[in-house]
Each structure stands twice: as C-alpha cells, then as structure tokens.
Amino acid sequence: MLTLAGCGGSAQPPEEVPLAEVPSTPPATPSVSPSASPSPVAPSDGTDLAACSDGDCEVEVTAPAEVDIDPEFAIDTLTIDSIADGSLAFTMTSTAGEVSFGCQNSDSAPCDSSLQGTFGPGGAATGQATGGPGAQVGLNDLVLEVVDVSGDSAVMRIAPA
C-alpha cells in the first residue's frame, strides 16, 4: 500500500492508494535461439570420389584421399594431401610427357602451384598445388576448383577445361 502526502491546502489525512499487484515471477520472455549460419550447398556427387573418374564431378573430400581419373586425361594419380587453414593441398602425377599444370586465377583467389619433372616422351612430372575457395588449377585438360573449405573437409569441382 502507498501513502501519499500533499503540500498546501487544507490539512487532510493522507489518502491511501492501493498498489497494483505485481506478479512474484517476471513474465517469461520469448527465447530466441541464434540461427545457424547457412551451410554450403551440398556437392552434387556427395562424397563419391569415383564420380570424378570421368573428369566431371563435385565432391566433398577429406585428407588423405586418392581420386581416380580416367587415363584419357593423362593424370596417373591425384592425391588430396591435406586440408588446413582454409586451403586444400593436392598432388598430381603424370607420365604423359607433356603436362599442363598450374593456378589459373591466382590474382582473384589464393592459389600456389609448382610443377617438377622430366618433360617429353617418357617423362614424368609431379604437380603440387594449394588453394583456398575459388582457386582453380589446370590439370592437363581438366580444371580442379576449390569450392569451399570448412574445417578438415573441402568441396572441390573437377570439370573439363
């Protein structure tokens, strides 16, 4: 109960005004759970690395992994070496003699590549590349693009050049 007193005027006893009833527990506030950040689009071929054998796939990979590519593309092995610090690192070997390998858009996406070996008939070469999302690396008549990197997995796309 609240007692009010006024100034001036006639001296009347203070008037008692009842207080509004206040609930003993505060009203529940609606809980809002933070929304999860949207996940990247699922790769069209899931985790099926065999889908890459025809030189046209989009897969999620973890390292280490071997990706089999049809011999018509003159790639003997394609090995996913590591996925760390937002980048995918891989190695390609070829005994085709003539090899085309390297970053194609390093000015717009993080990419680093090197090619070593003996070129020409009977030669063998090893190409190594590391790239973050958006990096594109030419592998003979194919292009490997790093679509996304998240933790210890990455989504990569292999397509004809």
Side-chain angles (χ1 to χ4, degrees):
M1 200 169 277
L2 175 65
T3 304
L4 298 174
C7 297
S10 63
Q12 294 185 4
E15 183 181 333
E16 291 185 8
V17 177
L19 287 177
E21 288 193 26
V22 177
S24 60
T25 57
T29 55
S31 65
V32 177
S33 32
S35 60
S37 58
S39 60
V41 174
S44 58
D45 295 306
T47 58
D48 182 13
L49 299 183
C52 297
S53 66
D54 65 355
D56 192 2
C57 66
E58 184 179 78
V59 292
E60 181 177 352
V61 293
T62 56
E66 291 288 327
V67 181
D68 292 323
I69 305 286
D70 189 297
E72 79 174 270
F73 297 106
I75 297 171
D76 297 328
T77 63
L78 178 60
T79 304
I80 307 305
D81 298 317
S82 66
I83 299 167
D85 301 324
S87 292
L88 170 102
F90 67 94
T91 302
M92 181 225 39
T93 61
S94 176
T95 53
E98 290 188 35
V99 177
S100 170
F101 182 87
C103 295
Q104 295 185 336
N105 65 339
S106 57
D107 57 333
S108 62
C111 187
D112 185 38
S113 65
S114 66
L115 181 64
Q116 302 148 7
T118 305
F119 306 99
T126 300
Q128 293 180 309
T130 301
Q136 296 177 349
V137 180
L139 314 164
N140 294 337
D141 293 332
L142 299 175
V143 174
L144 184 151
E145 178 181 0
V146 179
V147 176
D148 186 46
V149 177
S150 180
D152 63 351
S153 68
V155 174
M156 70 176 190
R157 179 181 301 121
I158 297 176

